[in-house]
Amino acid sequence: MRVYLDNAATTPLDPEVFEAMKPFMLEDFGNPSSTHAHGRKVRAAIESARKKVAELLNCTPGEIIFTSGGTEADNTLLRCSIDTYKLKHAISTPIEHHAVTHTLETLEKEGKIKLHYVNLDEKGHVDYAHLESLLKANPNALVSLMHANNEIGNLLDLEKVGELCHLYNAYFQSDTVQTIGHYRHDMKKLKVHGMTAAAHKFHGPKGVGFMYINKDKKIHQFIHGGAQERNMRGGTENVYGIIGLAKALEICYREMAEHESHIKKLKAHMISKLNATLPDLTFNGDSGNLEKSLYTILNVSLPESEENDMLLFNLDLQSISASGGSACSSGASTGSHVLGALYPESKRGAVRFSFSKYNTTEEIDHVVAKLAEICRVAV
Ligand SMILES: Cc1ncc(COP(=O)(O)O)c(C=O)c1O
């Protein structure tokens, strides 16, 4: 049995998405910027994809800009909001995705901003009182806080942070790469100015994503070139990627309740099986809390031992794909910056299991049994 539990890294393409993309790989090949019939047909398809995404997020089509993925969307929103609004301070955490932390660190090195880190509690959740005191001390700041952490799954209260940013006139950008397609985002209600998404995290194709940019908080463009994407991103569009992204998001919204309930059951099942089988195991961040973490992610650590050090490798030998990272206070390059920030003293290796609609209870049982075998616990 081969088991894929690394859906936070990427998800398999939904066959229905592939069917929607196919015509744009073969017969509908025109350049959407061409004014002849071949081009016009493709232009119309891109605009209807944009309209579809906007409808699902309850915003206007002009607020959706397609990109090459989450990294480009994060880079654009951070760099260009700071540039457009001459923001001098940025408030974030050290456990954001590198697309955010490396961009903010670079902007600080360039002398454009002063970077402030908001305190995290022992589970890795943002300390909202400290966030407010940072906002009070540094009004007109950029706030970049992710909706769900890609390693430990911790969820942020987007509404609450939006209200706080509104109160102190801050520009609020949120990396929603792990939650778009898994939760409904109502952009008319949320006070978020910029959000990011990547299609391959919700059964769409790789190399395509989008950013939401609030129409009252427009920013300068990042990639200069042609007038594509309403002058916001030069370069010939990834046409079949965009078509696939919109179809994938449509399917997610159509089947969200069903998938959420299925995946939550898988996660709850894995938590109780692991607790029963491997009592020394701990859950990293708040990933063991079904209410406060993303339902697709479970991050676990086992006590330090020779077998556990090789856990991911041994899982791979058993045809189980998951992903890892450890606190690695020694500074080894394989360490996770998220676990390193939360557990600087820990030497325990960690495994992130992440689920999708395609996983089954049988797969979870198989993985827990193999894990126990690797750790030599009788089951
Ligand atoms: C939270 C988060 N942000 C950004 C990214 C980057 O997205 P992409 O791979 O589409 O550039 C990822 C991908 O792992 C992610 O999990």
Side-chain angles (χ1 to χ4, degrees):
M1 189 190 244
R2 276 204 71 84
V3 185
Y4 184 77
L5 287 185
D6 199 14
N7 291 281
T10 200
T11 52
L13 193 75
D14 187 312
E16 199 183 330
V17 172
F18 182 56
E19 285 309 316
M21 292 168 70
K22 246 172 26 189
F24 294 90
M25 293 170 152
L26 298 168
E27 59 264 33
D28 297 323
F29 61 86
N31 187 321
S33 296
S34 301
T35 51
H36 49 59
H38 281 87
R40 287 198 309 274
K41 184 165 184 200
V42 177
R43 159 73 43 225
I46 290 183
E47 290 316 314
S48 88
R50 193 188 315 280
K51 195 159 162 252
K52 169 59 66 191
V53 173
E55 265 167 30
L56 298 172
L57 268 70
N58 197 21
C59 64
T60 60
E63 294 177 303
I64 301 297
I65 303 297
F66 294 115
T67 64
S68 66
T71 303
E72 182 194 320
D74 281 330
N75 271 261
T76 305
L77 278 163
L78 297 173
R79 189 166 275 278
C80 300
S81 61
I82 284 169
D83 186 47
T84 308
Y85 296 105
K86 309 280 174 261
L87 307 176
K88 297 284 175 248
H89 295 270
I91 300 169
S92 188
T93 74
I95 65 168
E96 304 297 305
H97 189 273
H98 279 149
V100 168
T101 52
H102 287 172
T103 305
L104 290 177
E105 283 162 12
T106 304
L107 286 160
E108 186 172 51
K109 270 192 209 128
E110 289 171 2
K112 296 207 164 74
I113 51 154
K114 169 136 186 48
L115 182 54
H116 307 264
Y117 283 138
V118 60
N119 292 342
L120 301 169
D121 68 16
E122 72 285 355
K123 295 272 186 199
H125 290 293
V126 163
D127 174 343
Y128 296 107
H130 185 233
L131 173 62
E132 180 156 17
S133 71
L134 285 175
L135 282 164
K136 216 179 254 176
N138 307 286
N140 309 315
L142 162 78
V143 171
S144 180
L145 294 172
M146 69 205 307
H147 187 197
N149 187 282
N150 52 300
E151 292 196 31
I152 52 175
N154 283 22
L155 283 168
L156 182 84
D157 187 338
L158 274 184
E159 282 181 35
K160 190 173 183 151
V161 177
E163 290 297 341
L164 279 174
C165 289
H166 183 69
L167 200 60
Y168 295 96
N169 199 30
Y171 186 100
F172 180 26
Q173 183 267 358
S174 185
D175 178 325
T176 46
V177 168
Q178 290 290 344
T179 59
I180 295 260
H182 300 300
Y183 293 94
R184 289 171 193 277
H185 295 88
D186 183 343
M187 303 321 297
K188 292 242 156 48
K189 289 209 181 111
L190 288 173
K191 293 195 167 84
V192 184
H193 302 120
M195 269 185 9
T196 56
H200 70 110
K201 307 289 187 187
F202 51 88
H203 305 287
K206 292 169 183 58
V208 64
F210 68 86
M211 49 192 172
Y212 158 83
I213 305 176
N214 183 280
K215 61 182 180 322
D216 299 323
K217 282 279 186 184
K218 290 204 167 125
I219 56 172
H220 299 153
Q221 77 194 93
F222 182 46
I223 296 182
H224 297 268
Q228 290 94 347
E229 290 302 300
R230 299 162 188 236
N231 263 323
M232 276 303 298
R233 181 189 187 261
T236 301
E237 298 87 339
N238 174 357
V239 178
Y240 36 81
I242 291 170
I243 303 299
L245 181 153
K247 179 48 101 182
L249 199 60
E250 185 188 337
I251 298 169
C252 287
Y253 273 72
R254 192 177 76 203
E255 299 169 356
M256 200 175 288
E258 193 188 314
H259 291 157
E260 180 171 352
S261 130
H262 171 69
I263 299 168
K264 263 190 181 155
K265 275 189 203 133
L266 292 181
K267 178 168 168 174
H269 182 68
M270 189 161 195
I271 291 174
S272 68
K273 274 239 145 183
L274 285 172
N275 277 332
T277 319
L278 295 153
D280 285 343
L281 173 141
T282 53
F283 299 104
N284 292 313
D286 217 4
S287 76
N289 181 333
L290 288 171
E291 301 309 313
K292 291 189 171 175
S293 70
L294 178 57
Y295 56 89
T296 54
I297 289 180
L298 186 61
N299 192 315
V300 305
S301 280
L302 283 151
E304 216 187 321
S305 77
E306 234 168 76
E307 291 80 30
N308 297 350
D309 280 353
M310 302 285 285
L311 210 51
L312 266 191
F313 175 74
N314 285 322
L315 284 170
D316 193 23
L317 284 182
Q318 300 289 341
S319 299
I320 296 165
S321 300
S323 84
S326 59
C328 249
S329 48
S330 62
S333 60
T334 47
S336 144
H337 70 289
V338 174
L339 300 178
L342 291 182
Y343 314 111
E345 304 304 325
S346 174
K347 289 193 176 67
R348 288 179 155 204
V351 182
R352 177 188 68 182
F353 296 107
S354 49
F355 320 102
S356 86
K357 61 182 180 180
Y358 295 123
N359 291 120
T360 63
T361 312
E362 291 68 41
E363 287 179 331
I364 302 296
D365 289 343
H366 175 77
V367 171
V368 176
K370 288 290 171 197
L371 204 58
E373 227 174 86
I374 294 166
C375 304
R376 304 204 179 130
V377 178
V379 269

